[in-house]
Amino acid sequence: MSNHKVAAVVLAAGKGTRMFSPYPKVLQEICGKPLLYYTFKTLKEIELEKVYVVIGYEAEKVKDAFKDEQVSWVRQNELKGTADALETTAQFLKDHKGSILVLSGDTPLINPTLLKGLIQVHQNSLKTAATVLTCSLDVAGSYGRIIRDKKGGLKGIVEAEECSEKQKKIKEINSGTYVFDNKVFDALKKVKPNPSNGEYYLPKVIDVFAREGKKVKTLVAENPAECLGVNTTDELNTAAKIMRQRIIDGFQQKGVIITDPENTYIEEEVLIGKETIIYPFTVIHSGVLIGERCQVGPFSHLRKGTVLEDGAGVGNFTETKKTRLGRNSKAKHLSYLGDAIIGADVNIGAGTITANYDGVRKEQTVIEDGASTGSGTVLVAPVRMGRRSKTGAGAVVTKGYNVPEDATVVGIPAKPVSNRRI
Ligand code: UD1
Ligand code: MG
């Protein structure tokens, strides 16, 4: 076992030609976050000395998307393939004493436990030149195929486009995740460019090591989903689906009740307290906080900046954005609540709308504890409803109006009524 810490290199310079999008592939999103976010999240679970990220296509955009990330950015000036991408880190890693974990920025489903296992396999015996993470797939598609010798040893990797008919049938594939040590930089020099496109392929370094009789090992991932590489929109959707399921499983294990996991869409970076029930066809975006014993859905849309305090309820066709709904407050039907601060025990009547945008500015609505709105109320922000105040059905509370505590306002524009029940 080496006492030196592991350095990681994330290859993220490619354009993602097969996505048919000008947007850099590693910034394509699943569950509300870019692909690269998940790689960084996983790497944070592993003890690493440093993380180098190789960027090239739209490098500034990629860097900007991860401003606060503790990583070192390295430029690959010309996108000459994955071997060349790793080569760009030679200047920083050629004297690195520990292992070097290399992974792709397009493999978001890999778990820390598997990466730790891969590092362990590499470090278990001295003098291992490379360890490759592989898995077995029924349809090996565009992945590189693992070529083994008669004794089962790793001989090399053949890219899908170079495969013979026989090699195409091989089910064991290269995940694009490897562990090396700094000798890889000498071996990289021996990788020849692919004759068809002039690119230097990193898997060819395995062939170099094998040819030279160096020890190369594999770890076969039990769950192939972890090795899914995202190259097409179809694969992006598959990755999103698996990630969505993982997110939901995580909540269910913490006591959140999700009645129909297949039809519930919860993004990354959402917090939900226990005993909260999420009904089907609900979409919850990144940056939403939900307390305990809340009820959400069916058909609710909770957008960034929504906070539901304990016991709050949001029902069908209610959309919330940058809105806090206080303890035990309810907005059960057909509402838009944007830029609103809503206190405790408030009842938002069916069809209540916060008109928060006047075409120029977004304005705030404040609804204090115990207030309630009648069906079809429009609150033209900025506006405030005092404690226990009420609006009648169809009221339009106009801009700048403060409904006093305990008052009831009705009509268009809404005006107070006194001593009268509505
Ligand atoms: C790669 C492997 C393949 C493996 C598969 C697993 C090569 C040649 N092939 O294929 O054996 O089965 O991953 O998913 O490596 N990149 C750069 N600079 C470049 C080119 C690519 O940084 O010049 C980055 C990309 O941004 C991407 C990663 O390297 O994150 C892999 O490149 P990609 O084009 O996706 O390779 P695959 O065809 O998927
Ligand atoms: Mg790929």
Side-chain angles (χ1 to χ4, degrees):
M1 270 292 264
S2 136
N3 291 321
H4 301 288
K5 276 213 187 142
V6 180
V9 177
V10 182
L11 308 182
K15 176 172 190 279
T17 312
R18 289 161 279 178
M19 301 290 299
F20 302 107
S21 158
Y23 209 54
K25 180 167 74 175
V26 292
L27 293 189
Q28 297 283 351
E29 292 188 354
I30 59 173
C31 300
K33 294 281 170 187
L35 292 179
L36 202 49
Y37 160 96
Y38 296 97
T39 308
F40 291 160
K41 186 181 175 194
T42 299
L43 290 179
K44 282 185 197 121
E45 303 284 314
I46 302 172
E47 221 183 304
L48 294 169
E49 189 183 276
K50 217 161 182 182
V51 177
Y52 296 92
V53 189
V54 183
I55 46 173
Y57 178 73
E58 293 277 27
E60 288 309 312
K61 255 195 197 140
V62 177
K63 249 169 94 170
D64 274 2
F66 296 97
K67 277 202 198 82
D68 302 326
E69 214 58 55
Q70 298 291 311
V71 298
S72 304
W73 303 99
V74 186
R75 288 276 183 149
Q76 184 188 13
N77 292 324
E78 258 183 278
L79 304 182
K80 289 192 292 189
T82 43
D84 179 70
L86 178 58
E87 175 107 53
T88 61
T89 65
Q91 51 184 319
F92 309 105
L93 286 170
K94 62 180 190 308
D95 299 321
H96 176 79
K97 295 282 185 299
S99 305
I100 300 169
L101 169 70
V102 177
L103 57 168
S104 291
D106 69 351
T107 310
L109 298 174
I110 202 155
N111 280 317
T113 313
L114 185 57
L115 289 180
K116 284 181 197 163
L118 185 72
I119 294 165
Q120 196 118 64
V121 168
H122 184 81
Q123 295 181 342
N124 265 347
S125 52
L126 288 170
K127 291 193 182 159
T128 305
T131 305
V132 185
L133 180 67
T134 75
C135 75
S136 188
L137 293 180
D138 285 339
V139 182
S142 66
Y143 292 97
R145 307 298 201 269
I146 298 293
I147 312 293
R148 292 188 180 272
D149 59 25
K150 288 205 179 77
K151 288 186 195 145
L154 176 57
K155 223 171 96 184
I157 299 173
V158 181
E159 288 308 298
E161 81 258 12
E162 310 166 323
C163 278
S164 66
E165 282 310 310
K166 203 170 151 206
Q167 287 170 330
K168 266 201 186 123
K169 296 201 179 90
I170 295 173
K171 293 190 167 177
E172 191 182 5
I173 61 100
N174 168 28
S175 71
T177 312
Y178 322 81
V179 183
F180 302 107
D181 59 34
N182 64 5
K183 291 194 193 71
V184 74
F185 297 110
D186 296 324
L188 282 179
K189 295 196 186 103
K190 298 174 191 164
V191 170
K192 303 230 162 52
N194 181 288
S196 68
N197 58 16
E199 281 192 20
Y200 295 82
Y201 289 173
L202 183 53
K204 294 297 171 216
V205 87
I206 303 297
D207 302 38
V208 170
F209 283 135
R211 253 197 327 267
E212 293 179 347
K214 303 269 162 54
K215 199 191 282 183
V216 282
K217 296 199 287 193
T218 55
L219 173 69
V220 185
E222 270 173 41
N223 175 10
E226 290 193 54
C227 298
L228 179 80
V230 174
N231 300 305
T232 62
T233 42
D234 210 32
E235 285 163 344
L236 188 74
N237 293 339
T238 306
K241 198 170 172 189
I242 297 168
M243 191 60 82
R244 206 149 56 221
Q245 185 62 51
R246 278 189 194 175
I247 290 171
I248 284 177
D249 287 347
F251 283 123
Q252 285 180 322
Q253 279 158 23
K254 287 187 187 135
V256 177
I257 302 149
I258 296 164
T259 61
D260 184 2
E262 287 198 7
N263 294 302
T264 303
Y265 302 82
I266 306 175
E267 291 186 345
E268 177 69 13
E269 276 185 357
V270 168
L271 291 178
I272 309 178
K274 52 182 185 299
E275 292 177 59
T276 284
I277 305 182
I278 314 282
Y279 291 104
F281 305 106
T282 289
V283 177
I284 304 175
H285 289 204
S286 289
V288 170
L289 303 178
I290 301 175
E292 297 179 2
R293 301 178 312 283
C294 293
Q295 290 198 10
V296 181
F299 297 100
S300 297
H301 185 194
L302 308 188
R303 293 167 54 202
K304 194 173 179 167
T306 294
V307 177
L308 304 189
E309 290 185 21
D310 294 348
V314 171
N316 37 248
F317 308 107
T318 293
E319 175 185 348
T320 59
K321 186 220 72 176
K322 277 197 195 158
T323 284
R324 174 178 283 268
L325 195 57
R327 268 178 107 85
N328 300 324
S329 290
K330 308 277 189 285
K332 294 299 249 184
H333 337 266
L334 304 159
S335 266
Y336 172 64
L337 301 172
D339 303 297
I341 299 174
I342 300 168
D345 302 308
V346 168
N347 190 59
I348 302 291
T352 296
I353 304 291
T354 55
N356 62 328
Y357 186 49
D358 61 9
V360 183
R361 283 170 57 100
K362 298 269 167 68
E363 302 283 3
Q364 199 168 59
T365 298
V366 177
I367 303 175
E368 295 180 353
D369 296 353
S372 62
T373 63
S375 300
T377 294
V378 178
L379 299 162
V380 186
V383 75
R384 173 182 285 266
M385 288 183 64
R387 287 160 162 261
R388 296 173 302 277
S389 65
K390 292 189 171 113
T391 63
V396 176
V397 184
T398 47
K399 208 170 179 142
Y401 194 83
N402 277 337
V403 182
E405 280 191 13
D406 296 302
T408 297
V409 295
V410 297
I412 305 172
K415 295 208 174 99
V417 283
S418 51
N419 304 325
R420 186 156 71 85
R421 287 186 60 180
I422 51 162

